[in-house]
Amino acid sequence: IVSHSQGALLMRAVIQKLPPSLKVHTYVSMAGPQRGQWGPCNKSNSGIGPKIAKKMARPVGWIAFYNPLAQRELSFANYWNDPRHNQLFRKEANFLPEINGYVVKHNEKEDISSMAEQKANFLRIQKAVFVGSSDD
């Protein structure tokens, strides 16, 4: 599996959830935000427009992403991980906290077991390559 950016994060989640009967030999993540993303993109031609980019960088920009509407409608809101609001990220974000094992969703014993299974699934990969980029 070769994946890029948000797709790389999604593919890692898929690999973690695969049943033991299905195996991935090689996983390549190109500029995948594996621990999340926050703030404006470094690249000036990010396509989101200068007004939105400026607001994203403001101290209250996180409010736009840590709410039920954004979590349901904006895919990137699910991996928005503002380190200044870690508790809110763990509570409100629907995707990344669970995939990265940051939260207890059901009960602690079940979640630890689930994360151990997801880790084992991921470790079945024979080769993994993670390539970063300062422009993504």
Side-chain angles (χ1 to χ4, degrees):
I1 294 175
V2 176
S3 51
H4 176 254
S5 195
Q6 184 177 345
L9 183 58
L10 182 60
M11 284 297 97
R12 179 176 62 89
V14 167
I15 291 167
Q16 287 177 208
K17 300 284 187 169
L18 282 177
S21 60
L22 298 174
K23 294 180 172 62
V24 173
H25 182 276
T26 304
Y27 168 60
V28 178
S29 169
M30 298 184 299
Q34 301 297 337
R35 295 188 64 206
Q37 178 74 31
W38 75 282
C41 180
N42 290 336
K43 204 164 179 69
S44 60
N45 64 353
S46 64
I48 60 172
K51 284 185 179 181
I52 294 174
K54 187 175 181 181
K55 288 180 181 183
M56 287 169 61
R58 289 185 179 170
V60 295
W62 54 271
I63 292 172
F65 301 111
Y66 294 146
N67 68 72
L69 179 64
Q71 290 295 308
R72 188 179 68 243
E73 300 295 329
L74 302 171
S75 61
F76 59 87
N78 285 278
Y79 62 90
W80 189 264
N81 185 2
D82 186 334
R84 299 167 297 180
H85 302 282
N86 194 265
Q87 294 293 58
L88 194 57
F89 161 71
R90 290 171 186 242
K91 180 181 176 206
E92 298 296 333
N94 293 333
F95 178 73
L96 191 63
E98 183 178 349
I99 294 300
N100 284 355
Y102 297 148
V103 295
V104 174
K105 291 279 188 184
H106 308 289
N107 71 56
E108 191 170 357
K109 190 173 182 178
E110 279 182 27
D111 287 347
I112 289 171
S113 175
S114 173
M115 280 313 301
E117 184 178 324
Q118 289 184 51
K119 179 180 178 181
N121 289 346
F122 189 79
L123 291 175
R124 286 196 320 254
I125 297 172
Q126 292 183 4
K127 192 183 294 185
V129 177
F130 293 86
V131 180
S133 169
S134 62
D135 288 340
D136 189 34

